[in-house]
Amino acid sequence: MAFSSHLSSPVCFHNKNPNPIPNPRSQKPSGVVGAPKARTLTDARAVPPLATAAADVFGPIDGTTLAVIGGGSVAALAAVLSLADPEKRRKLQAEEVGGDDKEVVKQYFNNSGFQRWKKIYGETDDVNRVQLDIRLGHSKTIENAIKMLQDEGSLSGVTVCDAGCGVGSLSIPLAKQGAIVSASDISAAMVAEAEKQAREELTNGAVMPKFEVKDLESLDGKYDTVVCLDVLIHYPQNKADGMIARLASLAQNRLILSFAPKTLYYDLLKRVGELFPGPSKATRAYLHSEADVERALRKVGWRIRKRGLITTQFYFARLVEAVPA
């Protein structure tokens, strides 16, 4: 895996080789034999050959599907998409758990989704090609977020809110570097797993992160830095604006966000994926344009200072660091 040497200008990380990589918490060198190498492009707007979001929310884009996109009739594809009704399917899912998007996400990540994503975020070999590729993409996002944090110097004593901590992929490495971490997630199962991993790994005097079961709306306190990675995909733009404002209100110096970027290309792949829901496709996916995120930040007095684009075959995320304007 590779870092951008400087993230203050747009960068794009591409990787077509979904070979296994070590978990970020293992702290092994990124040049390990067999680890994929990333290319850095100067223009983050460049479209990768294939990039889709997480396998749970984007369907199995296979060679046949790509042939339709690449060589089929655009008009015919548009007609097929117009007949699909993923919104109806999502409403039925929400009705089944008696709630809205947030309740669907909560139920999913406390049940089947927890087992699925625990494997993806972990080190087990029991993952398929798509899951392994998503592990790579998420790991690169974690590594580049840590790089952004380290750019300001030592993390010892720095207070960090890890909003949407998952199984601790970011919280634990930050704690190892001396940061004082408050970590939360909407999923009790995820938080329990993060605590378990932290107890196993933080054995040399590092301060244990404070883990809590909370959604973004319930967060409080003040922190030097707030980090929220791969969470905004669960929020439509009108709610994402409020979440960005909420997170910014908790941060004193920096806010680091990652989100699935909304472009015509990614939006088309997302809609095609919705034609093939599969049994594990359980949550809505919302893409966000960088302009909308930047507008939401400006509205509360923040500006983007650094930005990057991390992509693999089946994962893509825009990563930004914002500071008070």
Side-chain angles (χ1 to χ4, degrees):
M1 290 177 290
F3 292 116
S4 161
S5 59
H6 187 56
L7 291 177
S8 59
S9 60
V11 296
C12 181
F13 302 89
H14 285 280
N15 194 297
K16 299 181 184 179
N17 183 359
N19 290 334
I21 62 164
N23 184 283
R25 299 200 297 266
S26 67
Q27 298 183 333
K28 295 178 182 177
S30 61
V32 55
V33 175
K37 296 181 179 179
R39 275 193 304 121
T40 301
L41 303 184
T42 57
D43 187 356
R45 294 168 296 179
V47 177
L50 172 63
T52 66
D56 276 339
V57 289
F58 288 74
I61 309 295
D62 57 16
T64 301
T65 305
L66 291 177
V68 171
I69 297 174
S73 165
V74 174
L77 177 59
V80 172
L81 292 175
S82 68
L83 293 175
D85 194 0
E87 184 64 24
K88 181 178 180 180
R89 188 166 61 245
R90 300 305 186 203
K91 287 181 179 179
L92 289 175
Q93 290 171 345
E95 290 173 2
E96 288 176 1
V97 297
D100 55 10
D101 272 0
K102 185 168 73 172
E103 189 62 27
V104 171
V105 171
K106 180 179 178 180
Q107 291 292 331
Y108 173 66
F109 283 104
N110 273 326
N111 296 287
S112 62
F114 167 67
Q115 295 299 330
R116 182 175 178 81
W117 287 94
K118 178 185 173 183
K119 287 198 309 181
I120 292 174
Y121 292 152
E123 298 179 337
T124 176
D125 293 331
D126 183 25
V127 288
N128 61 36
R129 182 176 68 88
V130 174
Q131 292 169 332
L132 186 60
D133 186 81
I134 293 170
R135 179 188 293 175
L136 167 64
H138 179 74
S139 177
K140 288 170 66 179
T141 297
I142 294 291
E143 288 199 13
N144 280 276
I146 292 174
K147 175 65 167 60
M148 283 181 169
L149 288 163
Q150 291 172 329
D151 282 347
E152 300 300 310
S154 171
L155 295 178
S156 181
V158 174
T159 56
V160 180
C161 172
D162 183 6
C165 67
V167 296
S169 302
L170 176 67
S171 296
I172 295 172
L174 293 182
K176 287 180 178 178
Q177 296 188 42
I180 309 302
V181 182
S182 295
S184 61
D185 198 280
I186 194 173
S187 165
M190 288 285 192
V191 170
E193 179 64 21
E195 285 185 299
K196 174 179 176 292
Q197 294 291 337
R199 285 194 298 270
E200 293 176 357
E201 297 189 38
L202 300 177
T203 58
N204 296 320
V207 177
M208 276 282 294
K210 179 184 178 183
F211 290 105
E212 295 182 282
V213 180
K214 284 186 175 182
D215 56 30
L216 297 189
E217 295 92 332
S218 303
L219 296 177
D220 54 14
K222 285 289 184 180
Y223 309 90
D224 176 85
T225 300
V226 174
V227 184
C228 185
L229 303 181
D230 293 352
V231 175
L232 291 179
I233 196 170
H234 299 300
Y235 288 86
Q237 188 61 52
N238 63 328
K239 291 186 178 180
D241 287 354
M243 292 304 99
I244 290 170
R246 177 70 175 160
L247 295 169
S249 73
L250 306 176
Q252 294 177 312
N253 296 311
R254 287 184 293 180
L255 173 60
I256 296 176
L257 301 170
S258 75
F259 53 94
K262 183 177 180 62
T263 68
L264 289 175
Y265 179 72
Y266 293 146
D267 192 49
L268 177 60
L269 286 181
K270 173 180 179 290
R271 295 190 66 192
V272 171
E274 287 174 336
L275 295 175
F276 307 92
S280 65
K281 193 173 166 64
T283 61
R284 242 188 217 99
Y286 296 101
L287 310 185
H288 302 288
S289 74
E290 187 173 352
D292 284 338
V293 172
E294 197 158 10
R295 173 188 49 77
L297 287 166
R298 284 200 306 268
K299 188 175 180 180
V300 293
W302 286 65
R303 63 179 177 86
I304 294 178
R305 180 170 68 175
K306 300 177 184 177
R307 64 190 81 207
L309 179 65
I310 297 101
T311 72
T312 63
Q313 274 194 304
F314 299 99
Y315 175 99
F316 55 88
R318 175 68 79 178
L319 182 67
V320 300
E321 179 194 71
V323 296

